[in-house]
Amino acid sequence: NSEQNPNTEDLITRQNKAKKGKKKKKFGWLYLFVFVFILALVSVSYLVKYYSPDVDVAIGNSEELTLNSADIEYEIRPIDERLKWIQMEDEMPSVSIKKEKAKSYDYLFGEQNSKGEISKAKKEIDAILDINPDYSQARVLRALLLSKNKDFLGAKKILEENIEKGFDDVFTRMSLAKVYTELNIFDKAKNLVSDVISKNPENLSYLSDLADIYIKEKNYDKALEIAQKILEINPNYILGDILGAKTAFMQGDLETAKDYAQDAISLDMNSSDGYYYLALVRKKMNELDEAIECMKRAILYDLNNPKYYAKMSEFYKEKEDYKTALEYISEAESLDNSNEYKFMYSELVKLNRKIKN
Protein backbone atom coordinates (compact mmCIF):
# COMPACT_ATOMS: atom_id res chain seq x y z
CA ASN A 1 0.00 0.00 0.00
CA SER A 2 1.54 3.30 -1.14
CA GLU A 3 -0.30 5.11 1.61
CA GLN A 4 1.55 3.30 4.49
CA ASN A 5 2.03 5.57 7.47
CA PRO A 6 5.56 6.57 8.59
CA ASN A 7 5.34 4.51 11.78
CA THR A 8 4.77 1.28 9.82
CA GLU A 9 7.73 2.05 7.49
CA ASP A 10 9.96 2.72 10.49
CA LEU A 11 8.93 -0.61 12.03
CA ILE A 12 9.69 -2.54 8.82
CA THR A 13 13.07 -0.81 8.51
CA ARG A 14 13.96 -1.67 12.10
CA GLN A 15 12.93 -5.32 11.58
CA ASN A 16 15.08 -5.58 8.44
CA LYS A 17 18.06 -4.12 10.31
CA ALA A 18 17.51 -6.56 13.19
CA LYS A 19 17.46 -9.50 10.78
CA LYS A 20 20.73 -8.31 9.21
CA GLY A 21 22.19 -7.94 12.70
CA LYS A 22 21.20 -11.49 13.62
CA LYS A 23 22.85 -12.78 10.44
CA LYS A 24 26.01 -10.89 11.30
CA LYS A 25 25.96 -12.35 14.83
CA LYS A 26 25.46 -15.85 13.43
CA PHE A 27 28.39 -15.41 11.06
CA GLY A 28 30.42 -13.95 13.94
CA TRP A 29 29.87 -17.03 16.09
CA LEU A 30 30.68 -19.26 13.11
CA TYR A 31 33.99 -17.46 12.49
CA LEU A 32 34.80 -17.74 16.21
CA PHE A 33 34.08 -21.48 16.22
CA VAL A 34 36.28 -22.06 13.15
CA PHE A 35 39.10 -20.04 14.72
CA VAL A 36 38.91 -21.98 18.00
CA PHE A 37 38.83 -25.30 16.11
CA ILE A 38 41.94 -24.41 14.09
CA LEU A 39 43.68 -23.18 17.24
CA ALA A 40 42.91 -26.49 18.96
CA LEU A 41 44.40 -28.48 16.08
CA VAL A 42 47.57 -26.39 16.13
CA SER A 43 47.81 -26.80 19.93
CA VAL A 44 47.50 -30.59 19.73
CA SER A 45 50.19 -30.69 17.05
CA TYR A 46 52.46 -28.55 19.24
CA LEU A 47 51.86 -30.69 22.34
CA VAL A 48 52.72 -33.90 20.49
CA LYS A 49 55.97 -32.35 19.25
CA TYR A 50 56.73 -30.83 22.66
CA TYR A 51 56.31 -34.09 24.55
CA SER A 52 58.31 -36.11 22.03
CA PRO A 53 61.36 -33.97 21.22
CA ASP A 54 63.27 -36.96 19.88
CA VAL A 55 60.53 -37.93 17.46
CA ASP A 56 59.97 -36.26 14.10
CA VAL A 57 56.18 -36.30 13.95
CA ALA A 58 54.80 -35.42 10.53
CA ILE A 59 51.14 -34.47 10.93
CA GLY A 60 49.18 -35.93 8.06
CA ASN A 61 51.77 -38.63 7.42
CA SER A 62 50.15 -41.74 8.88
CA GLU A 63 53.28 -43.88 8.55
CA GLU A 64 55.40 -41.43 10.55
CA LEU A 65 52.70 -41.18 13.18
CA THR A 66 52.53 -44.96 13.31
CA LEU A 67 56.26 -45.44 13.77
CA ASN A 68 56.41 -43.05 16.69
CA SER A 69 52.99 -43.05 18.34
CA ALA A 70 53.80 -45.64 20.99
CA ASP A 71 56.91 -43.69 22.04
CA ILE A 72 54.70 -40.66 22.64
CA GLU A 73 52.18 -42.76 24.53
CA TYR A 74 54.91 -44.27 26.68
CA GLU A 75 56.22 -40.85 27.64
CA ILE A 76 53.02 -38.92 28.35
CA ARG A 77 50.24 -41.41 29.07
CA PRO A 78 49.68 -43.87 31.93
CA ILE A 79 49.65 -47.52 30.91
CA ASP A 80 45.94 -47.99 31.45
CA GLU A 81 45.06 -45.10 29.11
CA ARG A 82 47.07 -46.21 26.09
CA LEU A 83 44.62 -48.74 24.73
CA LYS A 84 41.74 -46.28 25.24
CA TRP A 85 43.67 -43.67 23.25
CA ILE A 86 44.10 -45.99 20.27
CA GLN A 87 40.58 -47.11 19.46
CA MET A 88 40.80 -47.06 15.68
CA GLU A 89 39.60 -49.29 12.86
CA ASP A 90 42.07 -51.66 11.18
CA GLU A 91 41.74 -49.86 7.87
CA MET A 92 45.42 -49.98 6.94
CA PRO A 93 48.53 -51.93 8.01
CA SER A 94 50.08 -48.97 9.81
CA VAL A 95 47.03 -48.65 12.05
CA SER A 96 47.24 -52.37 12.76
CA ILE A 97 50.85 -51.88 13.81
CA LYS A 98 49.78 -49.07 16.09
CA LYS A 99 47.11 -51.17 17.78
CA GLU A 100 49.27 -54.27 18.08
CA LYS A 101 52.11 -52.20 19.45
CA ALA A 102 49.87 -50.61 22.07
CA LYS A 103 48.81 -54.05 23.22
CA SER A 104 52.42 -55.16 23.43
CA TYR A 105 53.29 -52.15 25.54
CA ASP A 106 50.42 -52.95 27.84
CA TYR A 107 51.49 -56.57 28.26
CA LEU A 108 55.17 -55.73 28.71
CA PHE A 109 54.86 -52.73 31.01
CA GLY A 110 51.57 -53.37 32.76
CA GLU A 111 51.09 -54.97 36.17
CA GLN A 112 49.92 -58.25 34.63
CA ASN A 113 53.23 -59.87 33.76
CA SER A 114 52.49 -63.53 34.31
CA LYS A 115 53.69 -66.20 31.89
CA GLY A 116 50.32 -66.08 30.14
CA GLU A 117 50.54 -62.35 29.58
CA ILE A 118 54.11 -62.62 28.27
CA SER A 119 52.99 -65.22 25.75
CA LYS A 120 50.30 -62.78 24.62
CA ALA A 121 52.96 -60.11 24.19
CA LYS A 122 54.98 -62.45 21.99
CA LYS A 123 51.94 -63.08 19.82
CA GLU A 124 51.32 -59.34 19.41
CA ILE A 125 54.96 -58.61 18.59
CA ASP A 126 55.01 -61.41 16.00
CA ALA A 127 51.93 -59.84 14.41
CA ILE A 128 53.78 -56.52 14.11
CA LEU A 129 56.86 -58.12 12.55
CA ASP A 130 54.70 -60.08 10.10
CA ILE A 131 53.51 -56.74 8.76
CA ASN A 132 56.93 -55.11 8.77
CA PRO A 133 59.99 -57.28 9.68
CA ASP A 134 62.25 -54.21 9.83
CA TYR A 135 59.99 -52.20 12.11
CA SER A 136 62.60 -51.00 14.61
CA GLN A 137 60.23 -50.31 17.50
CA ALA A 138 58.78 -53.82 17.27
CA ARG A 139 62.33 -55.14 17.43
CA VAL A 140 62.79 -53.17 20.65
CA LEU A 141 59.65 -54.81 22.03
CA ARG A 142 61.09 -58.19 21.06
CA ALA A 143 64.25 -57.28 22.99
CA LEU A 144 62.18 -56.30 26.03
CA LEU A 145 60.39 -59.63 25.82
CA LEU A 146 63.74 -61.43 25.80
CA SER A 147 64.71 -59.39 28.86
CA LYS A 148 61.54 -60.53 30.62
CA ASN A 149 62.72 -64.09 29.98
CA LYS A 150 66.22 -63.25 31.31
CA ASP A 151 67.83 -63.50 27.84
CA PHE A 152 69.77 -60.26 28.26
CA LEU A 153 72.45 -61.15 25.70
CA GLY A 154 69.77 -61.74 23.06
CA ALA A 155 68.14 -58.42 23.95
CA LYS A 156 71.51 -56.65 23.83
CA LYS A 157 72.18 -58.00 20.33
CA ILE A 158 68.86 -56.74 18.93
CA LEU A 159 69.13 -53.28 20.50
CA GLU A 160 72.74 -52.75 19.45
CA GLU A 161 71.80 -53.78 15.89
CA ASN A 162 68.99 -51.21 15.94
CA ILE A 163 71.42 -48.44 16.87
CA GLU A 164 73.93 -49.59 14.24
CA LYS A 165 71.16 -49.33 11.64
CA GLY A 166 70.47 -45.73 12.68
CA PHE A 167 67.39 -46.32 14.84
CA ASP A 168 68.96 -44.41 17.72
CA ASP A 169 65.81 -43.10 19.43
CA VAL A 170 65.16 -42.57 23.13
CA PHE A 171 63.13 -45.76 23.52
CA THR A 172 65.94 -47.89 22.07
CA ARG A 173 68.63 -46.18 24.12
CA MET A 174 66.74 -46.45 27.42
CA SER A 175 65.90 -50.10 26.74
CA LEU A 176 69.54 -50.87 25.97
CA ALA A 177 70.60 -49.06 29.15
CA LYS A 178 68.35 -51.39 31.18
CA VAL A 179 69.90 -54.42 29.48
CA TYR A 180 73.44 -53.13 30.10
CA THR A 181 72.49 -52.66 33.76
CA GLU A 182 71.31 -56.26 34.04
CA LEU A 183 74.61 -57.39 32.51
CA ASN A 184 76.58 -55.15 34.94
CA ILE A 185 77.89 -53.00 32.08
CA PHE A 186 77.32 -49.93 34.21
CA ASP A 187 79.44 -47.34 32.42
CA LYS A 188 77.70 -47.87 29.09
CA ALA A 189 74.31 -47.83 30.80
CA LYS A 190 75.07 -44.55 32.59
CA ASN A 191 76.40 -42.96 29.40
CA LEU A 192 73.22 -43.80 27.48
CA VAL A 193 70.88 -42.51 30.18
CA SER A 194 72.97 -39.42 30.93
CA ASP A 195 72.92 -38.48 27.26
CA VAL A 196 69.12 -38.74 27.19
CA ILE A 197 68.86 -36.71 30.41
CA SER A 198 71.07 -33.97 28.94
CA LYS A 199 68.22 -33.27 26.50
CA ASN A 200 65.51 -33.77 29.15
CA PRO A 201 67.14 -32.59 32.41
CA GLU A 202 63.96 -32.70 34.51
CA ASN A 203 62.47 -35.92 33.18
CA LEU A 204 61.77 -37.79 36.42
CA SER A 205 61.47 -41.19 34.75
CA TYR A 206 64.94 -40.93 33.18
CA LEU A 207 66.45 -39.63 36.43
CA SER A 208 64.89 -42.60 38.26
CA ASP A 209 66.44 -44.99 35.76
CA LEU A 210 69.85 -43.40 36.34
CA ALA A 211 69.43 -43.75 40.11
CA ASP A 212 68.59 -47.44 39.64
CA ILE A 213 71.85 -47.96 37.74
CA TYR A 214 73.82 -46.39 40.58
CA ILE A 215 72.01 -48.64 43.08
CA LYS A 216 72.90 -51.74 41.05
CA GLU A 217 76.49 -50.45 40.93
CA LYS A 218 76.32 -50.03 44.74
CA ASN A 219 77.08 -46.34 44.47
CA TYR A 220 74.39 -45.51 47.03
CA ASP A 221 75.53 -41.94 47.75
CA LYS A 222 75.07 -40.98 44.10
CA ALA A 223 71.71 -42.80 43.90
CA LEU A 224 70.44 -40.99 46.99
CA GLU A 225 71.61 -37.67 45.55
CA ILE A 226 69.49 -38.30 42.43
CA ALA A 227 66.50 -39.39 44.53
CA GLN A 228 66.71 -36.12 46.46
CA LYS A 229 66.96 -34.17 43.20
CA ILE A 230 63.82 -35.91 41.93
CA LEU A 231 61.90 -34.92 45.07
CA GLU A 232 63.14 -31.33 44.75
CA ILE A 233 61.68 -31.20 41.24
CA ASN A 234 58.42 -32.85 42.33
CA PRO A 235 57.86 -33.69 46.02
CA ASN A 236 54.81 -35.79 45.07
CA TYR A 237 56.65 -38.07 42.67
CA ILE A 238 56.35 -41.34 44.57
CA LEU A 239 59.24 -43.07 42.82
CA GLY A 240 61.58 -40.52 44.40
CA ASP A 241 60.53 -41.76 47.85
CA ILE A 242 60.81 -45.40 46.76
CA LEU A 243 64.34 -44.78 45.50
CA GLY A 244 65.16 -42.99 48.76
CA ALA A 245 63.83 -45.92 50.81
CA LYS A 246 65.69 -48.46 48.70
CA THR A 247 68.98 -46.56 48.81
CA ALA A 248 68.85 -45.74 52.52
CA PHE A 249 68.01 -49.37 53.30
CA MET A 250 71.02 -50.54 51.27
CA GLN A 251 73.18 -48.11 53.26
CA GLY A 252 71.83 -49.49 56.54
CA ASP A 253 70.16 -46.19 57.47
CA LEU A 254 66.94 -47.80 58.68
CA GLU A 255 65.26 -44.70 60.12
CA THR A 256 65.73 -42.75 56.89
CA ALA A 257 64.56 -45.74 54.84
CA LYS A 258 61.48 -46.01 57.07
CA ASP A 259 60.69 -42.30 56.61
CA TYR A 260 60.95 -42.56 52.81
CA ALA A 261 58.78 -45.69 52.73
CA GLN A 262 56.12 -44.07 54.90
CA ASP A 263 56.20 -40.94 52.72
CA ALA A 264 55.57 -43.14 49.67
CA ILE A 265 52.60 -44.79 51.41
CA SER A 266 51.23 -41.38 52.42
CA LEU A 267 51.27 -40.41 48.73
CA ASP A 268 49.62 -43.68 47.69
CA MET A 269 48.01 -45.99 50.24
CA ASN A 270 48.23 -48.78 47.63
CA SER A 271 51.98 -48.42 47.10
CA SER A 272 53.23 -52.01 46.96
CA ASP A 273 56.88 -50.90 46.87
CA GLY A 274 56.30 -48.57 49.81
CA TYR A 275 55.02 -51.48 51.91
CA TYR A 276 57.77 -53.76 50.59
CA TYR A 277 60.58 -51.50 51.78
CA LEU A 278 58.76 -50.79 55.03
CA ALA A 279 58.58 -54.58 55.55
CA LEU A 280 62.32 -54.90 54.95
CA VAL A 281 63.00 -52.13 57.46
CA ARG A 282 60.70 -53.71 60.07
CA LYS A 283 62.45 -57.04 59.62
CA LYS A 284 65.87 -55.43 60.14
CA MET A 285 64.49 -53.77 63.27
CA ASN A 286 63.57 -57.24 64.57
CA GLU A 287 59.86 -56.55 64.17
CA LEU A 288 59.05 -59.71 62.24
CA ASP A 289 55.29 -59.77 62.79
CA GLU A 290 55.00 -56.14 61.66
CA ALA A 291 57.19 -56.97 58.65
CA ILE A 292 54.85 -59.81 57.68
CA GLU A 293 51.82 -57.50 57.87
CA CYS A 294 53.54 -54.95 55.64
CA MET A 295 54.54 -57.63 53.14
CA LYS A 296 50.96 -58.89 53.03
CA ARG A 297 49.92 -55.43 51.88
CA ALA A 298 52.70 -55.31 49.30
CA ILE A 299 51.41 -58.60 47.85
CA LEU A 300 47.79 -57.42 48.02
CA TYR A 301 48.60 -54.37 45.88
CA ASP A 302 50.82 -56.27 43.41
CA LEU A 303 49.79 -59.90 43.13
CA ASN A 304 52.24 -60.75 40.35
CA ASN A 305 55.55 -59.68 41.88
CA PRO A 306 57.59 -62.82 42.67
CA LYS A 307 60.11 -61.04 44.91
CA TYR A 308 57.33 -60.18 47.39
CA TYR A 309 56.31 -63.84 47.73
CA ALA A 310 59.96 -64.91 48.01
CA LYS A 311 60.65 -62.40 50.76
CA MET A 312 57.49 -63.46 52.62
CA SER A 313 58.71 -67.04 52.35
CA GLU A 314 61.95 -65.98 54.06
CA PHE A 315 59.97 -64.30 56.85
CA TYR A 316 57.92 -67.45 57.56
CA LYS A 317 61.03 -69.61 57.31
CA GLU A 318 62.55 -67.51 60.09
CA LYS A 319 59.41 -68.11 62.15
CA GLU A 320 59.97 -71.84 61.44
CA ASP A 321 56.59 -72.03 59.73
CA TYR A 322 58.01 -74.05 56.83
CA LYS A 323 54.63 -75.07 55.44
CA THR A 324 53.54 -71.45 54.89
CA ALA A 325 57.04 -70.56 53.68
CA LEU A 326 56.77 -73.30 51.06
CA GLU A 327 53.40 -71.98 49.88
CA TYR A 328 54.83 -68.52 49.31
CA ILE A 329 57.97 -69.69 47.49
CA SER A 330 55.80 -71.96 45.32
CA GLU A 331 53.87 -68.88 44.25
CA ALA A 332 57.08 -66.99 43.52
CA GLU A 333 58.43 -69.89 41.47
CA SER A 334 55.21 -70.11 39.48
CA LEU A 335 55.61 -66.45 38.50
CA ASP A 336 59.35 -66.60 37.82
CA ASN A 337 61.08 -69.96 37.45
CA SER A 338 64.55 -68.53 37.99
CA ASN A 339 67.26 -70.68 39.57
CA GLU A 340 67.14 -68.58 42.75
CA TYR A 341 63.48 -69.40 43.41
CA LYS A 342 63.93 -73.03 42.36
CA PHE A 343 66.72 -73.41 44.91
CA MET A 344 64.65 -71.79 47.68
CA TYR A 345 61.74 -74.09 46.79
CA SER A 346 63.86 -77.24 46.90
CA GLU A 347 65.33 -76.25 50.27
CA LEU A 348 61.89 -75.75 51.77
CA VAL A 349 60.65 -79.04 50.35
CA LYS A 350 63.51 -80.76 52.18
CA LEU A 351 62.71 -78.94 55.43
CA ASN A 352 59.04 -79.92 55.22
CA ARG A 353 59.99 -83.57 54.62
CA LYS A 354 62.21 -83.55 57.70
CA ILE A 355 59.37 -82.23 59.83
CA LYS A 356 56.96 -84.90 58.54
CA ASN A 357 59.51 -87.62 59.23
Side-chain angles (χ1 to χ4, degrees), residues 69-113:
S69 62
D71 283 340
I72 298 166
E73 296 154 32
Y74 183 62
E75 293 303 323
I76 68 175
R77 290 183 178 274
I79 293 163
D80 58 353
E81 290 183 13
R82 290 184 204 134
L83 289 176
K84 295 176 186 176
W85 188 60
I86 307 178
Q87 293 299 320
M88 303 175 68
E89 295 295 328
D90 288 330
E91 296 176 352
M92 54 194 299
S94 60
V95 175
S96 295
I97 292 174
K98 186 186 258 188
K99 288 186 72 176
E100 300 292 351
K101 185 173 181 182
K103 292 175 187 175
S104 295
Y105 266 88
D106 196 59
Y107 292 134
L108 288 171
F109 295 108
E111 293 182 359
Q112 303 298 321
N113 284 324

Coordinates of all heavy atoms in Angstrom, one line a residue, residues 69-113:
S69 N 54.1 -43.3 17.4 CA 53.0 -43.0 18.3 C 53.2 -43.7 19.7 O 52.9 -43.1 20.7 CB 51.7 -43.5 17.7 OG 51.7 -44.9 17.5
A70 N 53.7 -44.9 19.7 CA 53.8 -45.6 21.0 C 54.9 -45.0 21.9 O 54.8 -45.0 23.1 CB 54.1 -47.1 20.8
D71 N 55.9 -44.4 21.3 CA 56.9 -43.7 22.0 C 56.2 -42.5 22.8 O 56.5 -42.3 23.9 CB 58.0 -43.1 21.1 CG 59.0 -44.2 20.7 OD1 59.1 -45.2 21.4 OD2 59.7 -44.0 19.7
I72 N 55.4 -41.8 22.0 CA 54.7 -40.7 22.6 C 53.8 -41.1 23.8 O 53.8 -40.6 24.9 CB 53.9 -39.9 21.6 CG1 54.8 -39.4 20.5 CG2 53.1 -38.8 22.2 CD1 54.1 -38.9 19.2
E73 N 53.1 -42.2 23.5 CA 52.2 -42.8 24.5 C 53.0 -43.1 25.8 O 52.6 -42.9 26.9 CB 51.5 -44.0 24.0 CG 50.5 -43.8 22.9 CD 50.4 -45.0 22.1 OE1 50.4 -46.1 22.6 OE2 50.2 -44.9 20.8
Y74 N 54.1 -43.8 25.6 CA 54.9 -44.3 26.7 C 55.4 -43.1 27.5 O 55.5 -43.2 28.8 CB 56.1 -45.1 26.1 CG 57.0 -45.7 27.2 CD1 56.4 -46.6 28.1 CD2 58.3 -45.3 27.4 CE1 57.2 -47.2 29.1 CE2 59.1 -45.9 28.4 CZ 58.5 -46.8 29.2 OH 59.3 -47.4 30.2
E75 N 55.7 -42.0 26.9 CA 56.2 -40.8 27.6 C 55.1 -40.1 28.4 O 55.4 -39.6 29.5 CB 56.9 -39.9 26.7 CG 58.2 -40.5 26.1 CD 59.2 -40.9 27.1 OE1 59.3 -40.2 28.2 OE2 59.8 -41.9 26.9
I76 N 54.0 -39.9 27.8 CA 53.0 -38.9 28.4 C 51.7 -39.5 28.9 O 50.9 -38.8 29.5 CB 52.7 -37.8 27.3 CG1 51.9 -38.3 26.2 CG2 53.9 -37.1 26.9 CD1 51.4 -37.3 25.2
R77 N 51.5 -40.8 28.7 CA 50.2 -41.4 29.1 C 50.4 -42.6 30.0 O 51.3 -43.4 29.8 CB 49.4 -41.9 27.9 CG 48.9 -40.7 27.0 CD 48.1 -41.2 25.9 NE 47.6 -40.0 25.1 CZ 46.5 -39.4 25.5 NH1 45.7 -39.8 26.5 NH2 46.1 -38.3 24.8
P78 N 49.6 -42.7 31.1 CA 49.7 -43.9 31.9 C 49.3 -45.1 31.1 O 48.6 -45.1 30.1 CB 48.6 -43.6 33.0 CG 48.3 -42.1 32.9 CD 48.6 -41.7 31.5
I79 N 49.8 -46.3 31.6 CA 49.6 -47.5 30.9 C 48.2 -47.8 30.6 O 47.8 -48.2 29.5 CB 50.3 -48.7 31.7 CG1 51.8 -48.5 31.8 CG2 49.9 -50.0 31.1 CD1 52.4 -49.3 32.9
D80 N 47.3 -47.6 31.6 CA 45.9 -48.0 31.4 C 45.1 -47.1 30.5 O 44.0 -47.4 30.2 CB 45.2 -48.1 32.8 CG 45.2 -46.7 33.5 OD1 45.9 -45.8 33.1 OD2 44.6 -46.6 34.6
E81 N 45.8 -46.0 30.0 CA 45.1 -45.1 29.1 C 45.5 -45.3 27.7 O 44.8 -44.9 26.7 CB 45.3 -43.6 29.4 CG 44.7 -43.2 30.7 CD 45.0 -41.7 31.0 OE1 45.4 -41.0 30.1 OE2 44.7 -41.3 32.1
R82 N 46.6 -46.1 27.5 CA 47.1 -46.2 26.1 C 46.1 -46.9 25.1 O 45.9 -46.4 24.0 CB 48.4 -47.0 26.1 CG 49.5 -46.1 26.7 CD 50.8 -46.8 26.6 NE 51.7 -46.3 27.7 CZ 52.4 -47.0 28.5 NH1 52.4 -48.3 28.4 NH2 53.1 -46.4 29.4
L83 N 45.5 -48.0 25.6 CA 44.6 -48.7 24.7 C 43.4 -47.9 24.5 O 42.8 -48.0 23.4 CB 44.3 -50.1 25.3 CG 45.4 -51.1 25.3 CD1 44.9 -52.4 26.1 CD2 45.8 -51.5 23.9
K84 N 42.9 -47.1 25.4 CA 41.7 -46.3 25.2 C 42.1 -45.2 24.2 O 41.2 -44.8 23.4 CB 41.3 -45.6 26.5 CG 40.9 -46.5 27.6 CD 40.6 -45.8 28.9 CE 40.2 -46.7 30.0 NZ 40.1 -46.0 31.3
W85 N 43.3 -44.7 24.2 CA 43.7 -43.7 23.3 C 43.7 -44.2 21.8 O 43.4 -43.5 20.9 CB 45.1 -43.1 23.6 CG 45.5 -41.9 22.9 CD1 44.8 -40.7 22.8 CD2 46.6 -41.8 22.0 NE1 45.5 -39.9 22.0 CE2 46.6 -40.5 21.5 CE3 47.6 -42.7 21.7 CZ2 47.6 -40.0 20.7 CZ3 48.6 -42.2 20.8 CH2 48.6 -40.9 20.3
I86 N 44.0 -45.5 21.6 CA 44.1 -46.0 20.3 C 42.9 -46.9 20.0 O 43.0 -48.1 20.0 CB 45.4 -46.8 20.1 CG1 46.6 -45.9 20.5 CG2 45.6 -47.2 18.6 CD1 47.9 -46.6 20.3
Q87 N 41.8 -46.4 19.8 CA 40.6 -47.1 19.5 C 40.3 -46.7 18.0 O 39.5 -45.9 17.7 CB 39.4 -46.8 20.4 CG 39.6 -47.2 21.8 CD 39.8 -48.8 21.9 OE1 39.1 -49.5 21.2 NE2 40.7 -49.2 22.8
M88 N 40.9 -47.4 17.1 CA 40.8 -47.1 15.7 C 40.5 -48.3 14.9 O 40.8 -49.4 15.3 CB 42.1 -46.4 15.1 CG 42.5 -45.2 15.9 SD 44.1 -44.5 15.3 CE 43.6 -44.0 13.7
E89 N 39.9 -48.1 13.7 CA 39.6 -49.3 12.9 C 40.9 -49.8 12.2 O 41.8 -49.0 11.9 CB 38.6 -48.9 11.8 CG 37.2 -48.5 12.3 CD 36.5 -49.7 13.0 OE1 36.7 -50.8 12.6 OE2 35.8 -49.4 14.0
D90 N 40.9 -51.1 11.9 CA 42.1 -51.7 11.2 C 41.9 -51.4 9.7 O 41.7 -52.4 8.9 CB 42.2 -53.2 11.5 CG 42.7 -53.4 12.9 OD1 43.4 -52.6 13.4 OD2 42.3 -54.5 13.4
E91 N 42.0 -50.2 9.3 CA 41.7 -49.9 7.9 C 43.0 -50.0 7.0 O 42.9 -50.0 5.8 CB 41.2 -48.4 7.8 CG 39.8 -48.3 8.4 CD 39.3 -46.9 8.4 OE1 40.1 -46.0 8.0 OE2 38.1 -46.7 8.8
M92 N 44.2 -49.9 7.7 CA 45.4 -50.0 6.9 C 46.5 -50.6 7.8 O 46.4 -50.7 9.0 CB 45.9 -48.6 6.5 CG 45.9 -47.6 7.7 SD 46.1 -45.9 7.2 CE 47.6 -45.9 6.3
P93 N 47.5 -51.2 7.2 CA 48.5 -51.9 8.0 C 49.2 -51.1 9.1 O 49.4 -51.6 10.2 CB 49.6 -52.3 7.0 CG 48.8 -52.4 5.7 CD 47.7 -51.3 5.8
S94 N 49.4 -49.8 8.8 CA 50.1 -49.0 9.8 C 49.2 -48.8 11.1 O 49.8 -48.8 12.2 CB 50.4 -47.6 9.2 OG 49.2 -46.9 8.8
V95 N 47.9 -48.7 10.9 CA 47.0 -48.6 12.0 C 47.1 -50.0 12.8 O 47.0 -50.0 14.1 CB 45.6 -48.3 11.6 CG1 44.7 -48.3 12.8 CG2 45.6 -46.9 11.0
S96 N 47.1 -51.1 12.1 CA 47.2 -52.4 12.8 C 48.5 -52.4 13.6 O 48.5 -52.9 14.7 CB 47.3 -53.5 11.7 OG 46.1 -53.6 11.0
I97 N 49.6 -51.9 13.0 CA 50.9 -51.9 13.8 C 50.6 -51.1 15.1 O 51.0 -51.5 16.2 CB 52.0 -51.3 13.0 CG1 52.3 -52.2 11.8 CG2 53.2 -51.0 13.8 CD1 53.4 -51.6 10.9
K98 N 50.0 -49.9 14.9 CA 49.8 -49.1 16.1 C 49.0 -49.8 17.2 O 49.3 -49.7 18.4 CB 49.0 -47.8 15.6 CG 48.9 -46.7 16.7 CD 48.0 -45.6 16.2 CE 48.8 -44.4 15.8 NZ 48.0 -43.3 15.5
K99 N 47.9 -50.5 16.8 CA 47.1 -51.2 17.8 C 47.9 -52.3 18.4 O 47.9 -52.5 19.6 CB 45.8 -51.7 17.1 CG 44.8 -50.5 16.8 CD 43.5 -51.1 16.3 CE 42.7 -51.8 17.4 NZ 41.4 -52.2 16.9
E100 N 48.5 -53.1 17.6 CA 49.3 -54.3 18.1 C 50.4 -53.8 19.0 O 50.6 -54.4 20.0 CB 49.9 -55.1 16.9 CG 48.9 -55.6 15.9 CD 48.0 -56.7 16.5 OE1 48.2 -57.2 17.7 OE2 47.0 -57.1 15.9
K101 N 51.0 -52.7 18.6 CA 52.1 -52.2 19.4 C 51.6 -51.7 20.8 O 52.2 -52.0 21.8 CB 52.8 -51.1 18.7 CG 54.0 -50.6 19.5 CD 54.8 -49.6 18.6 CE 56.0 -49.1 19.3 NZ 56.8 -48.1 18.6
A102 N 50.5 -51.1 20.8 CA 49.9 -50.6 22.1 C 49.6 -51.8 23.0 O 49.9 -51.7 24.2 CB 48.6 -49.8 21.8
K103 N 49.1 -52.9 22.4 CA 48.8 -54.1 23.2 C 50.1 -54.6 23.8 O 50.2 -55.0 25.0 CB 48.1 -55.1 22.4 CG 46.7 -54.8 21.9 CD 46.2 -55.8 21.0 CE 44.9 -55.4 20.4 NZ 44.4 -56.4 19.4
S104 N 51.2 -54.6 23.0 CA 52.4 -55.2 23.4 C 53.0 -54.3 24.6 O 53.5 -54.8 25.5 CB 53.4 -55.2 22.3 OG 53.0 -56.1 21.3
Y105 N 52.9 -53.0 24.4 CA 53.3 -52.1 25.5 C 52.5 -52.5 26.8 O 53.1 -52.6 27.9 CB 53.0 -50.7 25.2 CG 54.1 -49.9 24.6 CD1 54.3 -49.9 23.2 CD2 55.0 -49.2 25.4 CE1 55.4 -49.2 22.6 CE2 56.1 -48.5 24.8 CZ 56.2 -48.5 23.4 OH 57.3 -47.9 22.9
D106 N 51.2 -52.7 26.7 CA 50.4 -53.0 27.8 C 50.8 -54.3 28.5 O 50.9 -54.3 29.7 CB 48.9 -53.0 27.4 CG 48.0 -52.9 28.6 OD1 48.1 -51.9 29.3 OD2 47.2 -53.9 28.8
Y107 N 51.1 -55.3 27.7 CA 51.5 -56.6 28.3 C 52.9 -56.5 28.9 O 53.2 -57.1 29.9 CB 51.5 -57.7 27.2 CG 50.1 -58.0 26.7 CD1 49.8 -58.1 25.3 CD2 49.0 -58.2 27.6 CE1 48.5 -58.4 24.9 CE2 47.8 -58.5 27.1 CZ 47.5 -58.6 25.8 OH 46.3 -59.0 25.3
L108 N 53.8 -55.8 28.2 CA 55.2 -55.7 28.7 C 55.4 -54.8 29.9 O 56.2 -55.1 30.8 CB 56.1 -55.3 27.6 CG 56.3 -56.3 26.5 CD1 57.1 -55.7 25.3 CD2 57.1 -57.5 27.0
F109 N 54.6 -53.7 30.0 CA 54.9 -52.7 31.0 C 53.8 -52.7 32.1 O 53.9 -52.1 33.1 CB 55.0 -51.3 30.4 CG 56.2 -51.2 29.5 CD1 56.0 -51.1 28.2 CD2 57.4 -51.1 30.0 CE1 57.1 -50.9 27.3 CE2 58.5 -51.0 29.2 CZ 58.4 -50.9 27.9
G110 N 52.7 -53.4 31.8 CA 51.6 -53.4 32.8 C 51.8 -54.2 34.0 O 52.9 -54.9 34.1
E111 N 50.9 -54.2 34.9 CA 51.1 -55.0 36.2 C 50.9 -56.5 35.9 O 51.5 -57.3 36.7 CB 50.1 -54.5 37.2 CG 50.3 -53.1 37.7 CD 49.3 -52.6 38.7 OE1 48.4 -53.5 39.1 OE2 49.4 -51.5 39.2
Q112 N 50.2 -56.8 34.9 CA 49.9 -58.3 34.6 C 51.1 -58.8 33.8 O 51.1 -58.7 32.6 CB 48.6 -58.4 33.9 CG 47.4 -57.9 34.6 CD 47.2 -58.5 36.0 OE1 47.3 -59.7 36.1 NE2 46.8 -57.8 37.0
N113 N 52.1 -59.4 34.5 CA 53.2 -59.9 33.8 C 53.4 -61.4 34.0 O 54.6 -61.8 34.2 CB 54.5 -59.1 34.2 CG 54.5 -57.7 33.5 OD1 54.1 -57.6 32.4 ND2 55.0 -56.7 34.2

